[in-house]
Amino acid sequence: MKPNISQLRTVDGETLMSQPLRPPDFVVSGLLSKGLHILAGSPKVGKSWLALWLAVTVAKGEPVWGMNTRQGTTLYLCLEDSVLRIQNRLFEITEEAPPSVHFCTECAPIGQGLEEQIESFVSEHPGTVLVIIDTLQIIRPVHDATYANDYRDLSVLKRLADKHGIAILLIHHLRKEKAEDVFHRISGTTAISGAVDSSFTLVEERRGSSRAKLTCIGRDIEFRELELERNGDNVWELISDSKSQPELLEDRIVVLLSVLLKDQREFIGTPTELSQKIDPDGQEGITPKKVSRLILQNVDALRKAHITAAIRRSNGKRIIQLSSADSDDTAAPREIGTIDPVDQPAEDNAEGAR
């Protein structure tokens, strides 16, 4: 007898490209989102110092290298340290540690109680946003380092992070062997990098230099390299960031649409037309493909700026409708379905034909 299998829950492409979508929730804006992440580095490079500072900084709600944090409870499983060592390090990196940062030097392995321990902590501390596990190797059961085992172990933690809407950061090691791609040096099989949402590697310029490069890659973040230097208090300070643009496109779209609607109050047109209006010379990088996504993923931010947005299809084309809250509410609404398709750009007509 066949088991009772539930049906697949699907969404069609047209609906998906017309739905407002919320961007990922970040614990550290633009860097560390909710989900599972790994920070790998060579032994004694300063990974644990960075992990401790991150746990304290997020608990305080203070910026991390100029990036805003979501303040909340943090848990640092410092499994290679003693309570005395953590106390000594706390006195070095901060003048005051809040009660919302918690430390633990012992825990069960994956599949042998760890999940229940973390779930119990989150239940007791519902404001938890970040759990750091230092190191991954200590919490792994004893078994062969195969792709299947690596993926299974990390998938357990990935499901746990997603279930509770928290970020779990695993501290791990790099291989000694050099590689053209630094992420290929992460110890273990490629399943480790494949199972996490983001990977970070901390590599010193040279041993004992107190300068290192933090290389970042992930599903919800763009590739970037942060040049760091460890100061006299063992805090990693930002020296430079490969992400040169100070403002994200997510921020710029609100500004550009606010300027557009300052005078005309309303816009109805295709993504190509909107892109040409707000970024005519292409310097902002807001292409017709990007503009729809930016609008759908920033509906809340646009609403705060008193802009309402909707994306529909009309005569086979995608149409964007924007309205300023200051527009005339007494005016009759325009019917989207009667927009004249004449003189529309060929790109949008072709899009409708597909």
Side-chain angles (χ1 to χ4, degrees):
M1 185 175 180
K2 291 184 178 180
N4 186 17
I5 300 176
S6 60
Q7 292 183 330
L8 294 174
R9 300 176 60 184
T10 69
V11 57
D12 66 87
E14 180 178 335
T15 300
L16 185 59
M17 295 187 73
S18 301
Q19 286 182 340
L21 299 174
R22 294 187 179 277
D25 288 329
F26 282 91
V27 175
V28 180
S29 181
L31 187 69
L32 190 69
S33 64
K34 292 180 179 179
L36 182 64
H37 315 274
I38 193 162
L39 168 62
S42 302
K44 312 302 181 185
V45 72
K47 302 185 300 295
S48 295
W49 284 102
L50 178 55
L52 177 63
W53 175 75
L54 185 63
V56 172
T57 303
V58 171
K60 288 182 176 181
E62 296 177 348
V64 169
W65 303 317
M67 292 169 275
N68 293 331
T69 59
R70 181 186 176 192
Q71 185 175 15
T73 299
T74 62
L75 171 62
Y76 181 23
L77 300 179
C78 37
L79 307 177
E80 292 185 334
D81 295 312
S82 64
V83 173
L84 176 60
R85 183 179 297 167
I86 292 300
Q87 184 190 57
N88 288 334
R89 290 186 172 186
L90 277 175
F91 276 113
E92 285 203 49
I93 68 169
T94 184
E95 295 182 0
E96 182 178 356
S100 54
V101 57
H102 297 255
F103 305 95
C104 183
T105 58
E106 295 181 353
C107 70
I110 297 172
Q112 300 176 28
L114 175 63
E115 303 94 290
E116 291 79 7
Q117 290 175 333
I118 293 178
E119 287 195 325
S120 177
F121 179 87
V122 173
S123 177
E124 293 174 6
H125 304 85
T128 300
V129 296
L130 174 64
V131 174
I132 300 176
I133 301 175
D134 188 359
T135 63
L136 169 62
Q137 192 60 37
I138 294 179
I139 63 166
R140 297 197 64 187
V142 178
H143 51 217
D144 295 336
T146 64
Y147 185 98
N149 287 335
D150 284 351
Y151 200 88
R152 183 178 62 248
D153 288 347
L154 268 69
S155 293
V156 170
L157 300 176
K158 167 65 175 167
R159 288 193 295 270
L160 190 62
D162 292 343
K163 176 182 177 181
H164 295 285
I166 62 175
I168 296 180
L169 178 63
L170 307 172
I171 309 302
H172 195 40
H173 298 294
L174 290 176
R175 298 190 185 94
K176 293 182 179 179
E177 296 83 2
K178 300 294 183 181
E180 185 175 346
D181 186 339
V182 68
F183 295 105
H184 291 166
R185 293 181 58 194
I186 296 176
S187 181
T189 69
T190 55
I192 291 181
S193 296
V196 298
D197 294 295
S198 302
S199 297
F200 306 92
T201 60
L202 186 67
V203 179
E204 272 188 308
E205 287 185 354
R206 63 180 185 280
R207 176 60 69 180
S209 67
S210 295
R211 290 182 67 99
K213 179 185 295 183
L214 182 69
T215 308
C216 321
I217 192 171
R219 299 186 178 110
D220 298 318
I221 62 173
E222 60 183 85
F223 175 84
R224 67 199 295 187
E225 295 178 325
L226 306 177
E227 298 287 344
L228 306 176
E229 183 172 20
R230 190 155 49 145
N231 65 21
D233 295 325
N234 283 301
V235 173
W236 286 102
E237 296 180 334
L238 179 66
I239 303 301
S240 65
D241 186 348
S242 65
K243 185 177 179 179
S244 58
Q245 292 183 345
E247 294 178 300
L248 299 174
L249 285 180
E250 284 79 0
D251 301 320
R252 288 295 294 160
I253 193 67
V254 177
V255 174
L256 294 172
L257 294 183
S258 296
V259 173
L260 173 67
L261 297 175
K262 184 176 181 181
D263 298 321
Q264 66 184 70
R265 305 298 187 186
E266 184 181 49
F267 170 87
I268 297 179
T270 65
T272 296
E273 291 175 321
L274 180 57
S275 175
Q276 290 173 347
K277 276 187 171 292
I278 64 176
D279 189 16
D281 53 10
Q283 290 187 355
E284 300 283 353
I286 301 181
T287 64
K289 290 183 179 179
K290 286 184 179 180
V291 72
S292 297
R293 176 177 61 83
L294 290 169
I295 290 173
L296 289 173
Q297 294 181 352
N298 290 276
V299 170
D300 290 342
L302 289 168
R303 187 177 294 116
K304 290 179 181 178
H306 309 293
I307 297 173
T308 58
I311 297 181
R312 305 182 180 90
R313 295 196 73 83
S314 172
N315 298 328
K317 299 182 296 296
R318 185 174 297 110
I319 298 297
I320 300 174
Q321 180 174 7
L322 304 169
S323 300
S324 169
D326 298 328
S327 59
D328 186 0
D329 293 332
T330 63
R334 296 177 61 181
E335 175 61 47
I336 294 295
T338 60
I339 295 177
D340 188 353
V342 178
D343 296 330
Q344 296 295 335
E347 176 184 336
D348 292 317
N349 282 325
E351 176 186 336
R354 286 194 291 270

